[in-house]
Amino acid sequence: MVEQRKPHIASVMKAFFALSVVAERPESISAKALAEIMSAPLPTTYHLLHTLVAAGALAKGGNGNYRLGPRIGMLADAYLEQGDPLERLEAPLRALAADTGESAYLSAWRHGEIEVVAMAEGSHAVRVANLQRGAFGNGHARASGKLLLAYARDGVREQYLKSHPLTKLTPNTITDKDLLRKEFEVIRARGYAIEKEEFTLDVSCVAAPILAGGRVIGAYTVSSPTSRFQRVSQDLIATLVKSCDNAQDLFAE
C-alpha cells in the first residue's frame, strides 16, 4: 500500500509547488516558464495546469498565462475564518492598546473586503463610530484600508477601487484615484499608513502591516483624537511598528 501511494504523493507535492510558484509571482505565468522553474517536461506541466484549472485552483487568462483561481481564495478565507492565524494576533493587539492607551484594531481581507476582525481599548481610548468588529467598507478613507490596499496585488487593489465608491466622508477624504495611488506609493515606501480625519473628524490613525512568511496577512491600527495624535504620533508609530514586528515573530519557523 505504501508503494502505491508514492506516485500520488509526488503528484500532490508537484501541484503544491506549482501553486506556490504562481502565488509568489506578481503577474500571471506561462506554462513554459513554470515548466522551466519546475524542471519538468512541458506536456507534463500542461497536464498539471489543466488539472488545477479544472479544480478551480488556477485560472487561465486570455493571454494563455495562469494565475491563482477562486478555489484558492475560498481556502484562504476559510483558513482565516477558522481563527488561525488571526486568533494569535489578538494578544499582541491587546498589548498594543495597553502600551499606547489608545484604541487598537486588527484588520484583514475577508471575501474581497477589508474588515475589522478584532479591537481592543486602551486606558484613554476614543472609540471611532462605525468602526467596530465586523465593520468593513470605505477602505480608501481608513488607515488600515489604505495600508492593505497599498500592499495588495495590483489586480486585487484595482478591483477594489473599481467596485467600491470613493465616498467623501470628511473634507480630508481622498476621492481621486490617481491621488490615492500616489498615497499607496508613499505607504509602501515608508512602511505604514497615516490617516488624518479622512474617516471621522477629530480622529487620526496610523496602521502598519503584519507579515507571515514575507506576506501581509493583516494590519494593526491605532486611533487617537487628532489633538493628541499630533503630539505623540512618532511614539505611536514606533510602538505600532514594534508590535507588528513582535506579531511577525509568532509565525517564524
Side-chain angles (χ1 to χ4, degrees):
M1 288 295 291
V2 174
E3 292 299 321
Q4 292 178 352
R5 290 179 182 174
K6 285 185 177 180
H8 298 293
I9 293 173
S11 296
V12 170
M13 294 301 294
K14 288 179 181 177
F16 185 80
F17 180 67
L19 291 172
S20 298
V21 171
V22 176
E24 290 171 358
R25 295 176 68 95
E27 305 294 338
S28 58
I29 187 172
S30 68
K32 182 179 180 181
L34 182 61
E36 292 175 353
I37 293 173
M38 297 181 65
S39 300
L42 187 57
T44 301
T45 303
Y46 270 120
H47 177 73
L48 176 62
L49 288 169
H50 291 164
T51 301
L52 291 172
V53 168
L58 289 180
K60 187 176 182 179
N63 60 358
N65 290 353
Y66 298 84
R67 55 179 173 77
L68 294 180
R71 193 69 181 174
I72 297 300
M74 292 170 60
L75 292 173
D77 283 340
Y79 174 60
L80 293 176
E81 289 171 3
Q82 288 175 1
D84 190 9
L86 297 183
E87 188 176 79
R88 280 185 270 176
L89 297 174
E90 292 194 24
L93 179 71
R94 292 190 293 271
L96 175 60
D99 290 343
T100 61
E102 307 289 0
S103 293
Y105 303 87
L106 168 62
S107 300
W109 284 99
R110 288 277 182 87
H111 302 294
E113 298 287 352
I114 298 172
E115 181 178 324
V116 176
V117 296
M119 63 173 296
E121 294 186 0
S123 57
H124 50 273
V126 58
R127 180 175 291 189
V128 181
N130 302 320
L131 198 58
Q132 307 302 319
R133 184 169 188 158
F136 61 89
N138 295 312
H140 67 292
R142 293 158 43 200
S144 60
K146 294 195 295 181
L147 187 286
L148 292 175
L149 284 168
Y151 282 95
R153 289 174 179 266
D154 292 345
V156 172
R157 180 170 56 252
E158 291 307 313
Q159 178 58 37
Y160 185 94
L161 295 178
K162 180 180 179 180
S163 60
H164 293 72
L166 303 184
T167 305
K168 196 169 188 64
L169 303 176
T170 77
N172 296 330
T173 307
I174 300 175
T175 57
D176 182 280
K177 288 185 179 180
D178 290 336
L179 291 178
L180 201 55
R181 292 187 184 100
K182 290 180 180 179
E183 176 83 352
F184 296 151
E185 293 177 5
V186 172
I187 290 169
R188 288 191 294 269
R190 68 186 176 197
Y192 57 87
I194 291 178
E195 174 257 302
K196 293 183 178 180
E197 300 187 5
E198 295 175 44
F199 184 75
T200 302
L201 290 176
D202 301 322
V203 176
S204 295
C205 305
V206 58
I210 304 165
L211 303 177
R215 295 192 175 278
V216 177
I217 61 169
Y220 280 153
T221 304
V222 175
S223 66
S224 171
T226 298
S227 58
R228 190 159 66 229
F229 185 86
Q230 291 173 340
R231 297 195 307 270
V232 301
S233 60
Q234 292 307 309
D235 290 337
L236 286 181
I237 292 169
T239 303
L240 173 65
V241 171
K242 182 179 180 181
S243 295
C244 290
D245 289 342
N246 291 339
Q248 179 179 337
D249 292 341
L250 297 174
F251 304 97
E253 297 181 356

